[in-house]
Amino acid sequence: MTTHDRAGFTVAMLGNPNTGKSTLFNGLAGVHQRVGNYPGVTVEKRVGQARFGRHRLTLIDLPGTYSLAPQSPDEMVAVDVLLGRQSDVAIPDVILCIVDAGNLERNLYLVSQALELERPVVVALNMMDLANQRGVQVDVPQLADRLQVPVIPLQAHRKIGLEALKQALLEAVSGQTPKESTPFPEAFRDEVMRLHQWLQDRFGQRVPRYLVKRLLLDTDGYVSRTKQWRGDGDLRRYLREARERLAAAGVQVPAIETTRRYQWVDGILNGIVTRPVQVGSTVTDHIDRLLTNRIVGTVVFLALMALVFQAIFTWTTPVNELIQRAEAGLGDWVTATLSPGMLRSLLVNGVIAGVGAVLAFLPQIATLFFFIAVLEDCGYMSRAAYLMDGLMARVGLSGKSFIPLVSSFACAVPGIMAARVIEDRRDRLVTILVAPLMSCSARLPVYILLISAFIPHRPLLGRWLGLQSATIIVLYGLGILVAIVVASLLKRTLLKGETPPFIMELPDYRVPLPRVVLARVLEQCRTFVRNAGTLILAVTVLVWAAAYFPHPNGLETRMRAEFSTEAAALDSQIKALEMLDRTGGTQSASKSDASGSRRLLDDLKGQQATLESTISNRIAGAYMEQSFLGRLGKLIAPIVRPLGWDWRIGCAVIASFPAREVVIGAMGVIYNLGDGQDEHSVSLSEHLRRETWPGTNRPVFTVPVALSVMVFFALCAQCAATLIMIRRETGKWRWALFTFVYMTALAYLGALMTYQIGTRILG
Amino acid sequence: MHKLIPLDALAQGRAAKIGRLEGCPKQVKRLEEMGMRCGSSIEVVRCGRPCIIRVGCNRLCFRRHEMVNVWVRELDSRLELAPQP
């Protein structure tokens, strides 16, 4: 077909990691890009648009890979996209292979696979400048001649060569579809042909020849485990026999693939690439001497982590306060504008609170991904993974899990999002599943409230460590300890399987590109709002509804009636004084009399205001008690009783499902203090201490109860956003449910043990 | 000609060539795809577990694994690493 037939075409971008593929994609697509997920897997789907003259290019950026020999569903996506088998993207008209000019041997291995896909291929020879600096020279025309595809030299980070590249892509589309080129011996080609025919006879459909090769080459590869062929005994038998025939002909599977492809690469490169005679130390080597040093490197890494942690923890506070203030302001405005009723309550406590809950995560996400993007783009991230690998290997994970887990101390949501850097599916899953056990910043208000109310301010280790700080440290430690145990258990049971050898490239250091960093931050924020935002809002509204309905009429009147005599007495006293003030004040009373009655009046008015707020708080509390949530709290009272909790604590814990920090506000309502409570409010902690079991003078909150609540919060999964993110990043609700169940079970058990042992020790 | 030794036994800073990759074929293939193949020049930049190695012009972080064994042949000098013209 000719270029005149169509105004747009699709380009799939393929390449090794660290070849500047993302930089090229950003350079070509600019802001015209969308990032999503391929269905059912956690492979990022990046689609961009670019223009070339009157032609529209749709760019599909595939994840960086060293080979197209899929071993997992994630790796299968790239093959499916390239072969046009992925239904949600168009079949590519041309494959763009991005290769690092300084590292052609390994990069051309992937190119040799791409050439077998029977699609037009264009090779972009990126990072020419860096290769030249290192003394590597490539004869580009010769290389193109031998590969029989266009080769375009490129400097993607400076946007040099992009026009020539687009021209080459356009010409490749309008040219002939190339004949398959293959480095394999004849015996293998025959076997491919035979299997191809066999599959067509058996299943009645044409299978792409590349997949036929994969079936033969990958012993226990993912292609044979796809839905199409999984569990097919005949195919398995056929493949075994075919491999035996090949072995008899001297073709060893799977070794034949690497041997032949590298032979082909050596043949292509022979005589057209010149390299420096002596490999000298580069800038990267010098930096690495420090940064990968066990002691210096670890110190630098920990300092960096402290900075990142500090940034997420404290730098985001002003922004979060701004969001909270805006939320409160908007809530007040709605309260003042609308008349009391369901709509107002829904808007203030459901919608505005829900939107606030979503926005509250954005500063953390933006900050964390700013650092991650900078550290990744400059090449440091893999050094961090190297340094932490020894430690993480003990739990059965790799160094790549460290950053997501540390980030989770600030907030598990960005932490879980950051787990994408882990290629190994099982490692990624384990990391995601234990990340919510790290004590996040939302747990801190709960700790602070209960610790300041119940843990005595007493020195433990001189003036260095007080009992209160020690309690916080223990709670953080508890999360870590449980995470270690759970991760080890998961790796040994549910997510058991052979771990591939851990091998990771340490790319050259370079200055991060601001546009790459910015694009990454914006993309993560957008992803979160779009994917988790609506669900978080929905959950908040749902919990609001549970706390609001059935909202019987007459409850308020009844509550007011209880206080009617008191209120009426105050009212008449005030009225009488006011009357006196107006009439008598001018006539005869002395000055001291007047000021005395005014003081009395102010005092009475104060009493009236207090009474009014007591009444409205009591009403709110009464509504909560009779709401579905309150009934649920009473229903689970026997279950939480062994933890030392009364129904109100149980109720507050359920109410905190959308977000942990909500528990404080919920306690405020349940304990008739109104909802404006925070962790520093004296009245709430005072009130908690005074609260007694109904009909007795036994306090509800004792030290063991406070500890039991804190341990519960340290381990529980009371965070809708986290669970929604787990669902998104694992592709399955099953894992979100699993996390909720195992964490809640552990939290219950932990709280139970704390209370039971605590009461025995402390009496 | 030196004899084959396991990668672990190669001292830091010494240059060698990969002589043989042994073990589970699937995993051996993964290493080969990343550039660790027979005949590749290899140098231990930092020993330990994991170690940092330079293979060809790639710098890799590699954790020794029970499923694959990397055997190397030590070279007398770094000059032998240079590609043949």
Side-chain angles (χ1 to χ4, degrees):
Chain A
M1 102 183 51
T2 68
T3 46
H4 303 291
D5 290 335
R6 47 195 299 166
F9 57 95
T10 305
V11 181
M13 297 171 66
L14 179 69
N16 281 189
N18 308 306
T19 49
K21 198 162 60 68
S22 307
T23 313
L24 177 60
F25 177 77
N26 279 322
L28 286 171
V31 291
H32 306 287
Q33 45 176 296
R34 277 177 298 124
V35 183
N37 259 5
Y38 289 102
V41 285
T42 42
V43 180
E44 234 152 55
K45 177 166 116 185
R46 301 169 160 273
V47 180
Q49 305 288 339
R51 292 207 76 86
F52 181 60
R54 56 192 183 78
H55 301 280
R56 218 184 63 236
L57 281 73
T58 302
L59 301 155
I60 306 170
D61 187 16
L62 293 168
T65 181
Y66 296 102
S67 165
L68 288 174
Q71 296 285 0
S72 69
D74 290 6
E75 292 171 357
M76 188 69 199
V77 170
V79 177
D80 279 340
V81 169
L82 291 167
L83 292 173
R85 289 158 53 92
Q86 187 76 35
S87 55
D88 52 343
V89 287
I91 179 165
D93 297 295
V94 52
I95 297 169
L96 172 59
C97 286
I98 295 95
V99 302
D100 174 1
N103 192 355
L104 282 171
E105 286 85 351
R106 196 191 60 201
N107 280 255
L108 286 188
Y109 182 93
L110 184 63
V111 172
S112 96
Q113 289 175 327
L115 289 172
E116 287 187 276
L117 294 165
E118 298 167 72
R119 295 256 109 202
V121 171
V122 171
V123 171
L125 199 57
N126 198 17
M127 312 210 265
M128 279 296 276
D129 47 339
L130 291 174
N132 291 346
Q133 273 170 29
R134 287 219 308 260
V136 178
Q137 300 288 342
V138 185
D139 184 341
V140 180
Q142 270 290 323
L143 182 62
D145 199 43
R146 291 187 186 179
L147 288 172
Q148 294 185 306
V149 297
V151 176
I152 311 298
L154 210 64
Q155 291 172 42
H157 62 295
R158 295 206 185 116
K159 296 195 177 184
I160 294 174
L162 299 195
E163 289 307 302
L165 179 66
K166 288 187 204 169
Q167 182 64 46
L169 289 169
L170 185 63
E171 280 164 17
V173 174
S174 32
Q176 293 281 308
T177 300
K179 281 221 298 282
E180 181 211 21
S181 91
T182 176
F184 293 111
E186 186 147 2
F188 185 79
R189 290 205 296 264
D190 289 346
E191 206 57 69
V192 170
M193 225 146 67
R194 208 180 307 168
L195 176 57
H196 200 195
Q197 192 59 49
W198 186 84
L199 288 170
Q200 191 167 349
D201 292 345
R202 192 171 151 76
F203 297 102
Q205 64 195 101
R206 277 188 68 78
V207 177
R209 204 158 3 176
Y210 187 75
L211 289 189
V212 179
K213 286 181 197 168
R214 296 268 52 110
L215 281 174
L216 279 172
L217 284 170
D218 300 338
T219 41
D220 189 34
Y222 186 73
V223 177
S224 64
R225 283 183 277 137
T226 48
K227 214 188 285 164
Q228 201 172 358
W229 292 308
R230 188 173 40 206
D232 190 322
D234 287 347
L235 178 63
R236 217 173 322 142
R237 206 168 315 116
Y238 184 99
L239 289 176
R240 201 176 47 236
E241 286 164 11
R243 289 189 192 120
E244 278 163 12
R245 281 197 295 275
L246 283 170
V251 179
Q252 293 294 336
V253 170
I256 183 76
E257 181 171 23
T258 44
T259 318
R260 280 302 176 118
R261 289 198 197 282
Y262 276 122
Q263 266 174 20
W264 175 86
V265 172
D266 290 342
I268 295 277
L269 294 179
N270 187 21
I272 60 170
V273 177
T274 41
R275 270 160 293 207
V277 177
Q278 179 98 37
V279 187
S281 287
T282 60
V283 180
T284 297
D285 292 325
H286 287 299
I287 302 176
D288 261 350
R289 220 157 279 158
L290 280 177
L291 292 188
T292 61
N293 179 293
R294 281 272 159 223
I295 297 158
V296 182
T298 308
V299 169
V300 171
F301 173 68
L302 291 179
L304 260 173
M305 276 299 100
L307 179 74
V308 173
F309 196 58
Q310 185 72 9
I312 308 173
F313 227 118
T314 59
W315 298 1
T316 57
T317 316
V319 189
N320 269 335
E321 273 169 9
L322 210 67
I323 293 172
Q324 269 164 24
R325 219 171 305 148
E327 187 189 328
L330 197 63
D332 288 347
W333 180 76
V334 172
T335 310
T337 318
L338 293 179
S339 53
M342 193 191 85
L343 181 67
R344 188 174 88 175
S345 180
L346 167 68
L347 283 178
V348 176
N349 298 324
V351 179
I352 295 174
V355 172
V358 175
L359 292 182
F361 286 106
L362 282 183
Q364 270 111 321
I365 292 175
T367 314
L368 176 65
F369 278 96
F370 168 76
F371 282 104
I372 287 187
V374 168
L375 294 180
E376 231 167 41
D377 206 42
C378 74
Y380 181 75
M381 209 52 129
S382 52
R383 272 75 181 183
Y386 157 77
L387 287 168
M388 287 301 119
D389 186 67
L391 188 71
M392 300 308 290
R394 291 186 201 173
V395 201
L397 296 172
S398 81
K400 293 188 175 180
S401 297
F402 194 79
I403 304 255
L405 289 180
V406 167
S407 315
S408 300
F409 278 113
C411 176
V413 170
I416 289 166
M417 289 162 87
R420 286 216 170 173
V421 295
I422 309 164
E423 290 96 13
D424 184 73
R425 213 188 112 259
R426 286 193 199 88
D427 280 11
R428 188 173 59 225
L429 208 48
V430 172
T431 309
I432 289 174
L433 296 183
V434 301
L437 283 170
M438 304 293 127
S439 264
C440 64
S441 53
R443 278 149 164 138
L444 207 53
V446 184
Y447 297 163
I448 290 173
L449 171 77
L450 293 172
I451 284 175
S452 57
F454 298 101
I455 306 296
H457 194 75
R458 201 186 293 155
L460 201 66
L461 285 175
R463 59 196 178 87
W464 296 108
L465 183 70
L467 190 59
Q468 294 188 330
S469 333
T471 311
I472 291 197
I473 294 172
V474 168
L475 288 166
Y476 273 78
L478 180 71
I480 300 172
L481 192 77
V482 173
I484 291 173
V485 175
V486 172
S488 312
L489 278 176
L490 282 172
K491 284 294 271 190
R492 270 175 213 154
T493 55
L494 268 184
L495 297 168
K496 191 164 62 178
E498 67 178 41
T499 336
F502 177 62
I503 181 162
M504 171 182 66
E505 197 172 347
L506 304 179
D508 281 341
Y509 289 109
R510 58 172 186 188
V511 180
L513 283 177
R515 67 185 146 99
V516 172
V517 173
L518 192 70
R520 182 83 195 272
V521 171
L522 287 178
E523 173 195 311
Q524 293 293 342
C525 291
R526 225 174 8 220
T527 305
F528 174 75
V529 172
R530 201 172 30 206
N531 292 288
T534 39
L535 271 169
I536 295 173
L537 183 62
V539 173
T540 316
V541 171
L542 215 67
V543 171
W544 163 82
Y548 186 85
F549 290 109
H551 211 79
N553 294 324
L555 181 71
E556 187 170 347
T557 334
R558 238 184 2 262
M559 293 302 292
R560 286 201 182 278
E562 266 182 48
F563 291 90
S564 58
T565 38
E566 209 176 320
L570 263 174
D571 202 43
S572 61
Q573 269 182 298
I574 289 172
K575 283 222 173 87
L577 265 172
E578 274 174 349
M579 186 78 91
L580 197 73
D581 203 31
R582 236 175 294 139
T583 55
T586 46
Q587 286 175 4
S588 62
S590 66
K591 270 188 180 166
S592 65
D593 258 12
S595 72
S597 73
R598 196 151 302 138
R599 223 177 301 132
L600 187 62
L601 185 66
D602 287 346
D603 188 44
L604 284 172
K605 279 191 173 160
Q607 279 184 38
Q608 194 183 31
T610 316
L611 182 68
E612 183 50 43
S613 88
T614 310
I615 295 172
S616 60
N617 288 343
R618 284 284 290 272
I619 291 171
Y623 272 127
M624 178 72 117
E625 185 170 353
Q626 59 70 45
S627 71
F628 292 125
L629 189 68
R631 292 176 202 185
L632 194 60
K634 285 191 168 157
L635 197 69
I636 64 158
I639 305 172
V640 297
R641 185 66 200 84
L643 313 181
W645 303 1
D646 70 348
W647 70 270
R648 284 169 293 196
I649 304 178
C651 197
V653 167
I654 301 173
S656 71
F657 179 66
R660 291 179 182 92
E661 57 271 35
V662 172
V663 75
I664 292 170
M667 278 192 176
V669 174
I670 298 171
Y671 288 110
N672 303 330
L673 292 167
D675 52 8
Q677 302 298 323
D678 67 31
E679 69 270 29
H680 301 294
S681 69
V682 181
S683 58
L684 182 56
S685 56
E686 278 291 315
H687 201 92
L688 290 183
R689 256 183 289 195
R690 280 205 309 268
E691 204 56 47
T692 55
W693 288 91
T696 64
N697 53 10
R698 206 155 52 84
V700 170
F701 276 93
T702 58
V703 173
V705 173
L707 285 174
S708 137
V709 173
M710 283 191 278
V711 167
F712 186 88
F713 270 88
L715 300 177
C716 72
Q718 294 292 93
C719 177
T722 300
L723 295 172
I724 288 164
M725 256 358 252
I726 292 177
R727 143 80 180 84
R728 181 187 138 75
E729 292 298 303
T730 59
K732 299 203 171 64
W733 278 113
R734 191 169 72 215
W735 288 118
L737 190 70
F738 173 80
T739 310
F740 180 73
V741 171
Y742 100 77
M743 284 182 70
T744 308
L746 281 179
Y748 186 86
L749 221 67
L752 180 71
M753 276 161 59
T754 309
Y755 177 70
Q756 296 298 343
I757 296 171
T759 35
R760 274 171 189 66
I761 294 173
L762 300 166
Chain B
M1 197 73 168
H2 291 274
K3 65 176 198 304
L4 285 177
I5 53 168
L7 179 59
D8 293 357
L10 189 65
Q12 190 163 310
R14 298 292 303 181
K17 280 200 182 252
I18 297 182
R20 198 165 66 213
L21 290 165
E22 259 179 11
C24 163
K26 196 161 114 184
Q27 305 306 346
V28 165
K29 199 171 164 190
R30 286 245 145 161
L31 299 192
E32 288 176 332
E33 288 168 350
M34 302 247 340
M36 284 180 81
R37 52 170 173 141
C38 276
S40 300
S41 56
I42 185 169
E43 181 195 339
V44 177
V45 180
R46 253 182 219 290
C47 53
R49 202 192 149 137
C51 59
I52 297 180
I53 50 178
R54 195 198 309 277
V55 179
C57 41
N58 305 312
R59 204 179 291 104
L60 300 173
C61 164
F62 176 63
R63 197 200 305 147
R64 205 178 61 80
H65 195 271
E66 55 277 11
M67 278 193 299
V68 272
N69 286 315
V70 181
W71 294 87
V72 300
R73 204 182 294 283
E74 205 172 326
L75 299 178
D76 289 323
S77 75
R78 288 174 64 105
L79 270 178
E80 281 182 55
L81 276 177
Q84 305 305 314

